[in-house]
PDB file of all heavy atoms in Angstrom:
ATOM      1  N   TRP A 292     -12.365 -36.295  16.770  1.00 98.00           N
ATOM      2  CA  TRP A 292     -11.472 -37.252  17.450  1.00 98.00           C
ATOM      3  C   TRP A 292     -11.868 -38.691  17.165  1.00 98.00           C
ATOM      4  O   TRP A 292     -11.295 -39.614  17.763  1.00 98.00           O
ATOM      5  CB  TRP A 292     -11.579 -36.978  18.976  1.00 98.00           C
ATOM      6  CG  TRP A 292     -11.034 -35.570  19.345  1.00 98.00           C
ATOM      7  CD1 TRP A 292      -9.754 -35.150  19.074  1.00 98.00           C
ATOM      8  CD2 TRP A 292     -11.760 -34.440  19.860  1.00 98.00           C
ATOM      9  NE1 TRP A 292      -9.620 -33.798  19.457  1.00 98.00           N
ATOM     10  CE2 TRP A 292     -10.834 -33.343  19.904  1.00 98.00           C
ATOM     11  CE3 TRP A 292     -13.022 -34.256  20.201  1.00 98.00           C
ATOM     12  CZ2 TRP A 292     -11.240 -32.042  20.350  1.00 98.00           C
ATOM     13  CZ3 TRP A 292     -13.462 -33.043  20.731  1.00 98.00           C
ATOM     14  CH2 TRP A 292     -12.509 -31.895  20.761  1.00 98.00           C
ATOM     15  N   GLY A 293     -12.735 -38.896  16.239  1.00 98.00           N
ATOM     16  CA  GLY A 293     -13.022 -40.254  15.762  1.00 98.00           C
ATOM     17  C   GLY A 293     -13.666 -41.139  16.774  1.00 98.00           C
ATOM     18  O   GLY A 293     -13.552 -42.384  16.740  1.00 98.00           O
ATOM     19  N   TYR A 294     -14.468 -40.555  17.680  1.00 98.00           N
ATOM     20  CA  TYR A 294     -15.170 -41.267  18.712  1.00 98.00           C
ATOM     21  C   TYR A 294     -16.234 -42.220  18.081  1.00 98.00           C
ATOM     22  O   TYR A 294     -16.907 -41.818  17.157  1.00 98.00           O
ATOM     23  CB  TYR A 294     -15.921 -40.460  19.749  1.00 98.00           C
ATOM     24  CG  TYR A 294     -15.004 -39.550  20.581  1.00 98.00           C
ATOM     25  CD1 TYR A 294     -15.452 -38.328  21.039  1.00 98.00           C
ATOM     26  CD2 TYR A 294     -13.725 -39.898  20.812  1.00 98.00           C
ATOM     27  CE1 TYR A 294     -14.641 -37.471  21.779  1.00 98.00           C
ATOM     28  CE2 TYR A 294     -12.857 -39.035  21.611  1.00 98.00           C
ATOM     29  CZ  TYR A 294     -13.342 -37.853  22.018  1.00 98.00           C
ATOM     30  OH  TYR A 294     -12.595 -36.994  22.748  1.00 98.00           O
ATOM     31  N   THR A 295     -16.264 -43.493  18.652  1.00 98.00           N
ATOM     32  CA  THR A 295     -17.338 -44.407  18.237  1.00 98.00           C
ATOM     33  C   THR A 295     -18.624 -44.132  18.928  1.00 98.00           C
ATOM     34  O   THR A 295     -18.704 -43.372  19.932  1.00 98.00           O
ATOM     35  CB  THR A 295     -16.868 -45.872  18.577  1.00 98.00           C
ATOM     36  OG1 THR A 295     -16.772 -45.927  19.973  1.00 98.00           O
ATOM     37  CG2 THR A 295     -15.591 -46.235  17.936  1.00 98.00           C
ATOM     38  N   ALA A 296     -19.656 -44.759  18.507  1.00 98.00           N
ATOM     39  CA  ALA A 296     -20.972 -44.611  19.188  1.00 98.00           C
ATOM     40  C   ALA A 296     -20.866 -45.011  20.614  1.00 98.00           C
ATOM     41  O   ALA A 296     -21.363 -44.373  21.553  1.00 98.00           O
ATOM     42  CB  ALA A 296     -22.011 -45.442  18.554  1.00 98.00           C
ATOM     43  N   ALA A 297     -20.056 -46.067  20.948  1.00 98.00           N
ATOM     44  CA  ALA A 297     -19.896 -46.531  22.327  1.00 98.00           C
ATOM     45  C   ALA A 297     -19.128 -45.453  23.106  1.00 98.00           C
ATOM     46  O   ALA A 297     -19.550 -45.233  24.319  1.00 98.00           O
ATOM     47  CB  ALA A 297     -19.075 -47.846  22.350  1.00 98.00           C
ATOM     48  N   GLN A 298     -18.175 -44.791  22.552  1.00 98.00           N
ATOM     49  CA  GLN A 298     -17.426 -43.786  23.288  1.00 98.00           C
ATOM     50  C   GLN A 298     -18.270 -42.551  23.565  1.00 98.00           C
ATOM     51  O   GLN A 298     -18.193 -41.984  24.627  1.00 98.00           O
ATOM     52  CB  GLN A 298     -16.174 -43.350  22.473  1.00 98.00           C
ATOM     53  CG  GLN A 298     -15.052 -44.405  22.595  1.00 98.00           C
ATOM     54  CD  GLN A 298     -13.824 -44.054  21.640  1.00 98.00           C
ATOM     55  OE1 GLN A 298     -14.153 -43.827  20.461  1.00 98.00           O
ATOM     56  NE2 GLN A 298     -12.692 -43.986  22.150  1.00 98.00           N
ATOM     57  N   LEU A 299     -19.157 -42.228  22.563  1.00 98.00           N
ATOM     58  CA  LEU A 299     -20.099 -41.073  22.774  1.00 98.00           C
ATOM     59  C   LEU A 299     -21.031 -41.443  23.840  1.00 98.00           C
ATOM     60  O   LEU A 299     -21.409 -40.566  24.684  1.00 98.00           O
ATOM     61  CB  LEU A 299     -20.754 -40.723  21.441  1.00 98.00           C
ATOM     62  CG  LEU A 299     -19.856 -40.213  20.347  1.00 98.00           C
ATOM     63  CD1 LEU A 299     -20.650 -40.090  19.025  1.00 98.00           C
ATOM     64  CD2 LEU A 299     -19.262 -38.802  20.674  1.00 98.00           C
ATOM     65  N   THR A 300     -21.537 -42.667  23.830  1.00 98.00           N
ATOM     66  CA  THR A 300     -22.469 -43.049  24.882  1.00 98.00           C
ATOM     67  C   THR A 300     -21.877 -43.040  26.210  1.00 98.00           C
ATOM     68  O   THR A 300     -22.549 -42.679  27.224  1.00 98.00           O
ATOM     69  CB  THR A 300     -23.025 -44.488  24.593  1.00 98.00           C
ATOM     70  OG1 THR A 300     -23.626 -44.469  23.308  1.00 98.00           O
ATOM     71  CG2 THR A 300     -24.117 -44.910  25.569  1.00 98.00           C
ATOM     72  N   SER A 301     -20.588 -43.310  26.329  1.00 98.00           N
ATOM     73  CA  SER A 301     -19.935 -43.285  27.660  1.00 98.00           C
ATOM     74  C   SER A 301     -19.794 -41.819  28.078  1.00 98.00           C
ATOM     75  O   SER A 301     -19.852 -41.507  29.307  1.00 98.00           O
ATOM     76  CB  SER A 301     -18.632 -44.050  27.692  1.00 98.00           C
ATOM     77  OG  SER A 301     -17.591 -43.237  27.346  1.00 98.00           O
ATOM     78  N   ILE A 302     -19.714 -40.870  27.198  1.00 98.00           N
ATOM     79  CA  ILE A 302     -19.797 -39.413  27.586  1.00 98.00           C
ATOM     80  C   ILE A 302     -21.134 -39.080  28.173  1.00 98.00           C
ATOM     81  O   ILE A 302     -21.250 -38.413  29.211  1.00 98.00           O
ATOM     82  CB  ILE A 302     -19.456 -38.507  26.383  1.00 98.00           C
ATOM     83  CG1 ILE A 302     -17.969 -38.745  25.958  1.00 98.00           C
ATOM     84  CG2 ILE A 302     -19.690 -37.057  26.730  1.00 98.00           C
ATOM     85  CD1 ILE A 302     -17.588 -38.109  24.626  1.00 98.00           C
ATOM     86  N   THR A 303     -22.165 -39.632  27.510  1.00 99.00           N
ATOM     87  CA  THR A 303     -23.613 -39.406  28.033  1.00 99.00           C
ATOM     88  C   THR A 303     -23.690 -40.014  29.406  1.00 99.00           C
ATOM     89  O   THR A 303     -24.314 -39.512  30.335  1.00 99.00           O
ATOM     90  CB  THR A 303     -24.624 -40.016  27.067  1.00 99.00           C
ATOM     91  OG1 THR A 303     -24.383 -39.537  25.824  1.00 99.00           O
ATOM     92  CG2 THR A 303     -26.059 -39.753  27.591  1.00 99.00           C
ATOM     93  N   ARG A 304     -23.058 -41.253  29.619  1.00 98.00           N
ATOM     94  CA  ARG A 304     -23.171 -41.918  30.899  1.00 98.00           C
ATOM     95  C   ARG A 304     -22.460 -41.049  31.957  1.00 98.00           C
ATOM     96  O   ARG A 304     -23.018 -40.924  33.066  1.00 98.00           O
ATOM     97  CB  ARG A 304     -22.455 -43.268  30.807  1.00 98.00           C
ATOM     98  CG  ARG A 304     -22.672 -44.128  32.072  1.00 98.00           C
ATOM     99  CD  ARG A 304     -22.198 -45.600  31.862  1.00 98.00           C
ATOM    100  NE  ARG A 304     -23.021 -46.341  30.909  1.00 98.00           N
ATOM    101  CZ  ARG A 304     -22.643 -46.682  29.692  1.00 98.00           C
ATOM    102  NH1 ARG A 304     -21.457 -46.456  29.267  1.00 98.00           N
ATOM    103  NH2 ARG A 304     -23.491 -47.294  28.880  1.00 98.00           N
ATOM    104  N   THR A 305     -21.336 -40.429  31.688  1.00 99.00           N
ATOM    105  CA  THR A 305     -20.698 -39.525  32.602  1.00 99.00           C
ATOM    106  C   THR A 305     -21.665 -38.429  32.956  1.00 99.00           C
ATOM    107  O   THR A 305     -21.758 -37.986  34.153  1.00 99.00           O
ATOM    108  CB  THR A 305     -19.396 -38.947  31.985  1.00 99.00           C
ATOM    109  OG1 THR A 305     -18.505 -40.015  31.627  1.00 99.00           O
ATOM    110  CG2 THR A 305     -18.682 -38.065  32.959  1.00 99.00           C
ATOM    111  N   SER A 306     -22.388 -37.833  32.003  1.00 99.00           N
ATOM    112  CA  SER A 306     -23.336 -36.767  32.258  1.00 99.00           C
ATOM    113  C   SER A 306     -24.373 -37.230  33.257  1.00 99.00           C
ATOM    114  O   SER A 306     -24.736 -36.548  34.203  1.00 99.00           O
ATOM    115  CB  SER A 306     -23.978 -36.238  31.019  1.00 99.00           C
ATOM    116  OG  SER A 306     -23.000 -35.723  30.209  1.00 99.00           O
ATOM    117  N   ILE A 307     -24.957 -38.365  32.930  1.00 98.00           N
ATOM    118  CA  ILE A 307     -26.121 -38.864  33.836  1.00 98.00           C
ATOM    119  C   ILE A 307     -25.563 -39.172  35.182  1.00 98.00           C
ATOM    120  O   ILE A 307     -26.209 -38.876  36.123  1.00 98.00           O
ATOM    121  CB  ILE A 307     -26.798 -40.184  33.124  1.00 98.00           C
ATOM    122  CG1 ILE A 307     -27.214 -39.820  31.674  1.00 98.00           C
ATOM    123  CG2 ILE A 307     -27.839 -40.635  34.032  1.00 98.00           C
ATOM    124  CD1 ILE A 307     -28.362 -38.980  31.573  1.00 98.00           C
ATOM    125  N   GLU A 308     -24.389 -39.737  35.268  1.00 98.00           N
ATOM    126  CA  GLU A 308     -23.779 -40.037  36.601  1.00 98.00           C
ATOM    127  C   GLU A 308     -23.596 -38.764  37.350  1.00 98.00           C
ATOM    128  O   GLU A 308     -23.608 -38.724  38.619  1.00 98.00           O
ATOM    129  CB  GLU A 308     -22.501 -40.803  36.422  1.00 98.00           C
ATOM    130  CG  GLU A 308     -22.718 -42.271  36.074  1.00 98.00           C
ATOM    131  CD  GLU A 308     -21.479 -43.053  35.609  1.00 98.00           C
ATOM    132  OE1 GLU A 308     -20.434 -42.486  35.448  1.00 98.00           O
ATOM    133  OE2 GLU A 308     -21.604 -44.252  35.428  1.00 98.00           O
ATOM    134  N   ALA A 309     -23.309 -37.679  36.652  1.00 99.00           N
ATOM    135  CA  ALA A 309     -22.987 -36.442  37.356  1.00 99.00           C
ATOM    136  C   ALA A 309     -24.282 -35.479  37.516  1.00 99.00           C
ATOM    137  O   ALA A 309     -24.183 -34.395  38.028  1.00 99.00           O
ATOM    138  CB  ALA A 309     -21.946 -35.624  36.575  1.00 99.00           C
ATOM    139  N   ALA A 310     -25.397 -35.968  36.929  1.00 99.00           N
ATOM    140  CA  ALA A 310     -26.567 -35.170  36.981  1.00 99.00           C
ATOM    141  C   ALA A 310     -27.058 -34.809  38.426  1.00 99.00           C
ATOM    142  O   ALA A 310     -26.869 -35.679  39.303  1.00 99.00           O
ATOM    143  CB  ALA A 310     -27.717 -35.893  36.199  1.00 99.00           C
ATOM    144  N   PHE A 311     -27.600 -33.728  38.555  1.00 99.00           N
ATOM    145  CA  PHE A 311     -28.215 -33.305  39.849  1.00 99.00           C
ATOM    146  C   PHE A 311     -29.718 -33.863  39.845  1.00 99.00           C
ATOM    147  O   PHE A 311     -30.674 -33.150  39.580  1.00 99.00           O
ATOM    148  CB  PHE A 311     -28.134 -31.868  40.073  1.00 99.00           C
ATOM    149  CG  PHE A 311     -26.801 -31.264  40.132  1.00 99.00           C
ATOM    150  CD1 PHE A 311     -26.485 -29.993  39.767  1.00 99.00           C
ATOM    151  CD2 PHE A 311     -25.691 -32.080  40.615  1.00 99.00           C
ATOM    152  CE1 PHE A 311     -25.204 -29.405  39.885  1.00 99.00           C
ATOM    153  CE2 PHE A 311     -24.446 -31.536  40.666  1.00 99.00           C
ATOM    154  CZ  PHE A 311     -24.144 -30.266  40.340  1.00 99.00           C
ATOM    155  N   VAL A 312     -29.821 -35.116  40.043  1.00 98.00           N
ATOM    156  CA  VAL A 312     -31.144 -35.783  39.942  1.00 98.00           C
ATOM    157  C   VAL A 312     -31.243 -36.880  40.909  1.00 98.00           C
ATOM    158  O   VAL A 312     -30.236 -37.364  41.422  1.00 98.00           O
ATOM    159  CB  VAL A 312     -31.325 -36.319  38.419  1.00 98.00           C
ATOM    160  CG1 VAL A 312     -30.419 -37.618  38.259  1.00 98.00           C
ATOM    161  CG2 VAL A 312     -32.742 -36.540  38.054  1.00 98.00           C
ATOM    162  N   ASP A 313     -32.468 -37.252  41.367  1.00 98.00           N
ATOM    163  CA  ASP A 313     -32.726 -38.217  42.376  1.00 98.00           C
ATOM    164  C   ASP A 313     -32.268 -39.593  41.778  1.00 98.00           C
ATOM    165  O   ASP A 313     -32.232 -39.836  40.587  1.00 98.00           O
ATOM    166  CB  ASP A 313     -34.229 -38.267  42.710  1.00 98.00           C
ATOM    167  CG  ASP A 313     -35.009 -38.506  41.496  1.00 98.00           C
ATOM    168  OD1 ASP A 313     -35.313 -37.491  40.731  1.00 98.00           O
ATOM    169  OD2 ASP A 313     -35.452 -39.619  41.223  1.00 98.00           O
ATOM    170  N   GLU A 314     -31.887 -40.550  42.723  1.00 98.00           N
ATOM    171  CA  GLU A 314     -31.322 -41.818  42.310  1.00 98.00           C
ATOM    172  C   GLU A 314     -32.296 -42.684  41.466  1.00 98.00           C
ATOM    173  O   GLU A 314     -31.847 -43.298  40.498  1.00 98.00           O
ATOM    174  CB  GLU A 314     -30.762 -42.544  43.503  1.00 98.00           C
ATOM    175  CG  GLU A 314     -29.637 -41.828  44.189  1.00 98.00           C
ATOM    176  CD  GLU A 314     -28.494 -41.433  43.271  1.00 98.00           C
ATOM    177  OE1 GLU A 314     -28.200 -42.176  42.345  1.00 98.00           O
ATOM    178  OE2 GLU A 314     -27.971 -40.322  43.430  1.00 98.00           O
ATOM    179  N   PRO A 315     -33.595 -42.755  41.791  1.00 98.00           N
ATOM    180  CA  PRO A 315     -34.455 -43.627  40.964  1.00 98.00           C
ATOM    181  C   PRO A 315     -34.512 -43.075  39.484  1.00 98.00           C
ATOM    182  O   PRO A 315     -34.399 -43.907  38.551  1.00 98.00           O
ATOM    183  CB  PRO A 315     -35.850 -43.438  41.576  1.00 98.00           C
ATOM    184  CG  PRO A 315     -35.551 -43.121  43.008  1.00 98.00           C
ATOM    185  CD  PRO A 315     -34.294 -42.308  42.973  1.00 98.00           C
ATOM    186  N   THR A 316     -34.449 -41.745  39.319  1.00 98.00           N
ATOM    187  CA  THR A 316     -34.550 -41.200  37.926  1.00 98.00           C
ATOM    188  C   THR A 316     -33.125 -41.495  37.263  1.00 98.00           C
ATOM    189  O   THR A 316     -33.115 -41.844  36.099  1.00 98.00           O
ATOM    190  CB  THR A 316     -34.832 -39.678  37.922  1.00 98.00           C
ATOM    191  OG1 THR A 316     -35.995 -39.446  38.697  1.00 98.00           O
ATOM    192  CG2 THR A 316     -34.961 -39.143  36.515  1.00 98.00           C
ATOM    193  N   ARG A 317     -32.105 -41.353  38.074  1.00 98.00           N
ATOM    194  CA  ARG A 317     -30.774 -41.597  37.461  1.00 98.00           C
ATOM    195  C   ARG A 317     -30.757 -43.054  36.924  1.00 98.00           C
ATOM    196  O   ARG A 317     -30.198 -43.308  35.794  1.00 98.00           O
ATOM    197  CB  ARG A 317     -29.638 -41.397  38.461  1.00 98.00           C
ATOM    198  CG  ARG A 317     -28.273 -41.353  37.813  1.00 98.00           C
ATOM    199  CD  ARG A 317     -27.079 -41.423  38.907  1.00 98.00           C
ATOM    200  NE  ARG A 317     -27.306 -40.542  40.011  1.00 98.00           N
ATOM    201  CZ  ARG A 317     -27.113 -39.258  40.072  1.00 98.00           C
ATOM    202  NH1 ARG A 317     -26.750 -38.551  39.012  1.00 98.00           N
ATOM    203  NH2 ARG A 317     -27.371 -38.589  41.223  1.00 98.00           N
TER     204      ARG A 317
END
Side-chain angles (χ1 to χ4, degrees):
W292 297 298
Y294 298 151
T295 62
Q298 285 172 307
L299 294 171
T300 303
S301 93
I302 293 168
T303 305
R304 188 170 293 108
T305 302
S306 296
I307 303 290
E308 284 168 355
F311 298 152
V312 75
D313 57 279
E314 295 310 320
T316 306
R317 192 191 318 281

